[in-house]
Amino acid sequence: MSEVRVDPLTGLKTIIATGRAGRPGGWPIAAGDAAPIDPESDPFAPGHEDRTPPEVFALRDEGAGTSAWRVRVVPNLYPALDDASPDPERSHAPDLFTATAARGVHEVVVNAPDAVTSLADLTPAQVAEAMEVWRQRSRTHHDDGAAYVHVIVNERAEGGASLPHTHAQVYALDFVPAQVARERERFTAHATRTMGGNLLQDLVGEEVRQRARMVAIDDEAILLSPYAARVPYQLMLAPRRPRARFDDDGPLGAALLHRALKAYNALLGFQPPLNLWVRTAPAGAERFCWRIDVLPRLTHLAGLELGVGVGLNIVSPEDAAAQLREHLT
């Protein structure tokens, strides 16, 4: 029987309809491994530093050469945001049309020098080091006055990656996106209703008690299949102890994230296209907790999802959690 579920964090609704899993052409939209990276055309390969804009940050051993980096950060060659953007012409109908300059910073974090397409193909130590750089860049932009910093990873072309070499992107925005503002309001309302409770911490506590959607837990983080997962095998990683911002000091759950990504390959037989992002507190938020959302791209987003914002998931979160638990190493 199909069921409509409401995500406790976002308020978004998802229809869980497992009966649709067997329909012809339903999924997956991609299968098999990604094509190998051509080392000659890879602008993120060591030795090709001149093919990117000048770096703004890098991790290197002391005294190492230019190409001996472990993580490297450069401005996006085709930025969506620009601190120097001029103000657009004002509309003649300001009550209908609003435009402002797209100001901010758009960076690329090359997660490792290895010519691989996924974080899953790195070592746990490399994932931890890359995530530490994500945190450092987030902290830098928050300190510089960004209203919100959004860190994302797109993997494979079906996930929106224009270059296959594993990398993250950092958007430092001068506004708080509506969805983030909505989540901030839900955290605040929960704290008011529970006399100080943290929404994500309370959610994690209940998930641990129920265990049906819990995939794994370690000293740093917990891995869940969200109650109202919008796509098959969606995952959420949350810190064991709540911290408002991703760039706050504390563990990042890198080892558990790496295990989760490896489990996809073990379960599906290939590393799927996916989107990963860090949800963190916007500037001025008094109640929040960061998390990481991972959405494999195994089914198409169609008219229901795009038209009214309602997810349609053909694998129940409980089944997804059980299957991923079996394949987690």
Side-chain angles (χ1 to χ4, degrees), residues 118-128 131 218 223 235 237 252-265 271 276 292 294 327-329:
S118 174
L119 288 167
D121 297 323
L122 302 177
T123 67
Q126 286 178 302
V127 173
M131 291 178 69
D218 65 13
L223 188 67
L235 288 171
L237 183 142
L252 297 176
L256 194 52
L257 177 63
H258 183 259
R259 292 175 64 201
L261 298 178
K262 297 282 282 186
Y264 283 141
N265 200 329
Q271 198 63 40
L276 175 158
I292 294 176
V294 186
H327 291 85
L328 202 69
T329 57

Side-chain angles (χ1 to χ4, degrees), residues 207-251:
E207 291 284 17
V208 170
R209 189 186 69 80
Q210 293 189 16
R211 305 192 73 83
R213 291 173 293 276
M214 192 172 77
V215 178
I217 189 168
D218 65 13
D219 291 340
E220 295 189 359
I222 182 169
L223 188 67
L224 302 170
S225 179
Y227 173 72
R230 299 176 67 77
V231 299
Y233 304 110
Q234 178 178 338
L235 288 171
M236 179 181 74
L237 183 142
R240 286 285 299 274
R241 295 167 185 81
R243 303 195 310 278
R245 293 191 349 190
F246 180 72
D247 48 290
D248 291 339
D249 291 335

Side-chain angles (χ1 to χ4, degrees), residues 187-210:
F187 271 86
T188 301
H190 180 83
T192 300
R193 187 170 60 251
T194 60
M195 301 183 66
N198 183 284
L199 177 57
L200 185 52
Q201 182 183 30
D202 291 349
L203 173 62
V204 165
E206 183 61 22
E207 291 284 17
V208 170
R209 189 186 69 80
Q210 293 189 16

Side-chain angles (χ1 to χ4, degrees), residues 4-19:
V4 178
R5 296 188 181 184
V6 179
D7 189 303
L9 298 174
T10 67
L12 297 174
K13 293 182 177 180
T14 295
I15 298 172
I16 308 296
T18 58

Side-chain angles (χ1 to χ4, degrees), residues 4-52:
V4 178
R5 296 188 181 184
V6 179
D7 189 303
L9 298 174
T10 67
L12 297 174
K13 293 182 177 180
T14 295
I15 298 172
I16 308 296
T18 58
R20 289 177 59 81
R23 78 192 194 282
W27 71 310
I29 62 173
D33 294 325
I37 296 173
D38 177 10
E40 293 302 317
S41 62
D42 181 9
F44 295 156
H48 293 176
E49 289 77 18
D50 59 341
R51 301 189 192 181
T52 69

